[in-house]
Amino acid sequence: MTFAFALPTTSPVSFGASFTSSSAPSLPSAATTRRSVFRDSLKRHKRLSPSEQTNAISSIQATIDEYLPYLHTLDAYITSQDVTQIAEFETEWRATLSRRNGPAEPPRVRCKGLDYEISFATATLAYAHSLRARSFIAAALQSPPADSSSTSSSEHMITQATQHMNTAASIFLYLQNRSTTRERSAQSLPADVTTSMYNALWSLSLASATLLAVLKQDPYPSIIAIQYDKTSKEWMYKAPTVPSGVKALLLARLCMYAADMAGKAAAGVASASSSGSELRKYCDDLAKTAKAKACRFLGVDAEVSGKLGEAIGWVVAGKEILGLVVGGDEEKGKLSRGLDKFKKAREERKIEKTQPEGLLAQDAGKMEEAMVLNELEKKWRKINDNVNFDKIKPTASLIAMLPSGRPIFPENQTWTPPKLSSSELVQLQNQAPNDGETDWLRADDSDDDLRPVAESSVQGGFPRSQSTGYY
């Protein structure tokens, strides 16, 4: 439910060569020093294995948090004319969202102006929050909820993941607003820093956060996971409560909201760049998964109410949305070979349990939802064929009955850029600029491209696990 962003890398720059400050003389050089640490951490992170990257994302976030106050303070000083630009400022970043399918590296793009640096560096913080959310989800999957304490721990980790996604959404909203209010030079900008892309990423983050809120109330993925984990003993514990009635309708509306936001994200990515196919496909898949979940919740509510024919129609509708139904009306509900391919791919992508992200995929949870729908349909069809004999409702009429979406998180929550404190500014005012601080920062960084893309690092992956945790 969270996109596996690839963190960008950047070239060395010197703020002192382009800016000078009369009130805080050492601010440009201090910003350069913090940026060099940030840049070095990004390069080191790129060379790590996927499991090591998961464990190191918190340290990456720490270096970003240390650098951004200097960068945004420098920007504020320029606005207030306390900082003077003495030379053209240029910076170079790898546009990871503009990459095409395949192992090829995304392009490096050089642009002029401090706004380009602020956009990429701040967006990297949002990517880091998304990856932190992903690591919390993976941790929640590591162990089955065998008792109340472990269940509470899983819920806490999912709550943490939700908070990180909301923070990412607020950062993307800030960047979106900034891109529309700041005058940009007439230059060709990569899709990564356009208003359309920021709007898409904001929509995608809100969709992910909403589905994480639904995940805490959704017992079915865990129920189905038990059937595919022969070592599980969770059947000995109390069965989870299945949502129905008002709760099921509320969850369905939340899923529809997530589907709408993911659809907007896909459209935004498409308008921003035709080459962002990986991210666009992930948004499309997430929209389908969320809409299929809404169908499932409505089907569960219909089954509890004794409307088994309608319930079967809802799960078939969910599978149609996922593109997993073949045949005419007499064959409605039969899975195509797509699910078998999903399952085969899942086995081929197994990773040792020591790696926190368990199994990786790039389908935004489509396979898991397909498995849940398939199991529910098999169970309900068996009962209906032998006991109820209810007529299965046409899927077209049911899909037309899907409710409107409902947000659960505020959409206007904007991130506030950090600034240096008064005491830190006083310290910078009393320090002389370090004229030689950039000599070692100008070292060649061509080795940035040496590390090949790891086969197990799947762009847009969704964390999976053989355990019977929340998913």
Side-chain angles (χ1 to χ4, degrees):
M1 291 181 187
T2 58
F3 186 72
F5 290 100
L7 296 182
T9 51
T10 181
S11 61
V13 297
S14 169
F15 291 103
S18 300
F19 302 101
T20 180
S21 174
S22 57
S23 58
S26 61
L27 176 59
S29 61
T32 302
T33 302
R34 297 306 187 283
R35 187 187 189 277
S36 67
V37 176
F38 171 44
R39 169 181 170 268
D40 184 64
S41 66
L42 289 175
K43 291 182 63 177
R44 291 177 183 273
H45 184 268
K46 184 178 180 179
R47 299 189 183 102
L48 298 176
S49 66
S51 60
E52 291 173 328
Q53 287 181 346
T54 301
N55 296 328
I57 192 63
S58 58
S59 62
I60 287 285
Q61 185 179 337
T63 61
I64 305 176
D65 288 334
E66 290 179 0
Y67 168 54
L68 287 183
Y70 288 85
L71 179 60
H72 283 280
T73 300
L74 185 65
D75 179 55
Y77 268 42
I78 293 176
T79 304
S80 63
Q81 298 182 346
D82 286 333
V83 167
T84 303
Q85 184 168 342
I86 57 178
E88 189 70 61
F89 180 80
E90 288 187 343
T91 182
E92 189 176 89
W93 284 84
R94 191 173 299 283
T96 55
L97 296 183
S98 302
R99 64 178 298 171
R100 298 180 181 273
N101 287 329
E105 282 281 7
R108 272 263 185 106
V109 183
R110 174 173 289 274
C111 289
K112 299 178 181 180
L114 188 64
D115 185 68
Y116 181 63
E117 172 73 15
I118 293 174
S119 298
F120 250 110
T122 306
T124 304
L125 177 62
Y127 302 156
H129 277 288
S130 297
L131 295 175
R132 286 291 303 278
R134 182 176 167 82
S135 66
F136 274 113
I137 298 171
L141 308 179
Q142 287 301 101
S143 60
D147 51 44
S148 59
S149 62
S150 57
T151 302
S152 177
S153 176
S154 296
E155 291 180 351
H156 176 69
M157 285 184 283
I158 293 178
T159 300
Q160 292 286 94
T162 305
Q163 292 173 350
H164 279 288
M165 289 311 303
N166 278 321
T167 301
S170 67
I171 295 174
F172 288 131
L173 181 58
Y174 161 79
L175 290 171
Q176 176 188 339
N177 294 337
R178 179 187 174 91
S179 66
T180 58
T181 57
R182 294 295 183 104
E183 182 178 350
R184 292 186 168 185
S185 59
Q187 57 182 323
S188 178
L189 294 175
D192 302 49
V193 295
T194 59
T195 303
S196 296
M197 182 62 77
Y198 290 144
N199 184 55
L201 295 175
W202 168 73
S203 299
L204 177 61
S205 299
L206 276 182
S208 298
T210 302
L211 287 180
L212 286 174
V214 171
L215 180 60
K216 291 177 62 177
Q217 306 295 326
D218 186 2
Y220 274 101
S222 291
I223 296 174
I224 300 304
I226 297 172
Q227 303 181 32
Y228 289 91
D229 188 354
K230 297 180 180 180
T231 64
S232 173
K233 298 295 186 291
E234 192 174 344
W235 57 270
M236 297 192 304
Y237 306 103
K238 179 182 178 181
T241 302
V242 175
S244 60
V246 176
K247 185 176 182 180
L249 178 59
L250 173 60
L251 294 177
R253 292 190 64 187
L254 293 178
C255 289
M256 288 302 297
Y257 173 79
D260 292 341
M261 296 302 287
K264 291 179 181 179
V269 173
S271 64
S273 173
S274 60
S275 62
S277 55
E278 291 178 348
L279 179 57
R280 181 182 178 183
K281 183 179 184 303
Y282 181 85
C283 295
D284 284 331
D285 288 342
L286 189 64
K288 293 176 182 178
T289 300
K291 198 171 183 179
K293 284 180 182 290
C295 291
R296 169 162 60 86
F297 284 122
L298 295 175
V300 169
D301 184 51
E303 189 270 339
V304 172
S305 303
K307 305 173 184 177
L308 199 56
E310 180 180 333
I312 296 174
W314 276 119
V315 296
V316 174
K319 291 197 292 184
E320 281 187 353
I321 291 170
L322 295 178
L324 298 175
V325 173
V326 294
D329 292 337
E330 70 281 358
E331 294 182 310
K332 285 291 187 181
K334 292 185 179 180
L335 280 178
S336 68
R337 288 178 294 179
L339 182 57
D340 293 332
K341 292 180 180 179
F342 276 163
K343 292 179 180 178
K344 182 178 179 181
R346 181 178 190 171
E347 295 300 317
E348 292 175 351
R349 285 194 296 264
K350 282 186 177 179
I351 302 175
E352 296 181 1
K353 276 191 174 183
T354 54
Q355 296 190 10
E357 295 210 359
L359 302 177
L360 294 175
Q362 54 183 349
D363 59 9
K366 282 177 61 178
M367 188 193 79
E368 278 81 4
E369 188 58 34
M371 293 170 66
V372 174
L373 293 170
N374 192 45
E375 291 299 322
L376 286 176
E377 185 190 7
K378 287 195 300 183
K379 174 184 175 182
W380 291 346
R381 279 188 182 273
K382 184 176 181 180
I383 297 173
N384 194 52
D385 292 344
N386 293 283
V387 180
N388 289 52
F389 308 107
D390 284 351
K391 182 179 179 180
I392 300 175
K393 284 195 173 185
T395 57
S397 62
L398 290 175
I399 292 178
M401 295 168 53
L402 282 169
S404 59
R406 173 181 171 178
I408 189 175
F409 302 112
E411 296 182 348
N412 59 349
Q413 186 173 338
T414 307
W415 179 74
T416 302
K419 305 282 178 45
L420 293 175
S421 64
S422 300
S423 59
E424 290 172 320
L425 286 173
V426 170
Q427 185 177 5
L428 290 175
Q429 292 170 358
N430 296 329
Q431 290 179 352
N434 184 3
D435 295 332
E437 45 89 8
T438 60
D439 292 346
W440 63 277
L441 297 172
R442 298 181 183 275
D444 177 58
D445 63 337
S446 58
D447 63 333
D448 180 48
D449 299 331
L450 294 180
R451 179 180 175 269
V453 177
E455 294 182 0
S456 58
S457 179
V458 183
Q459 184 79 358
F462 178 79
R464 295 180 179 154
S465 173
Q466 298 180 71
S467 69
T468 56
Y470 264 84
Y471 215 103

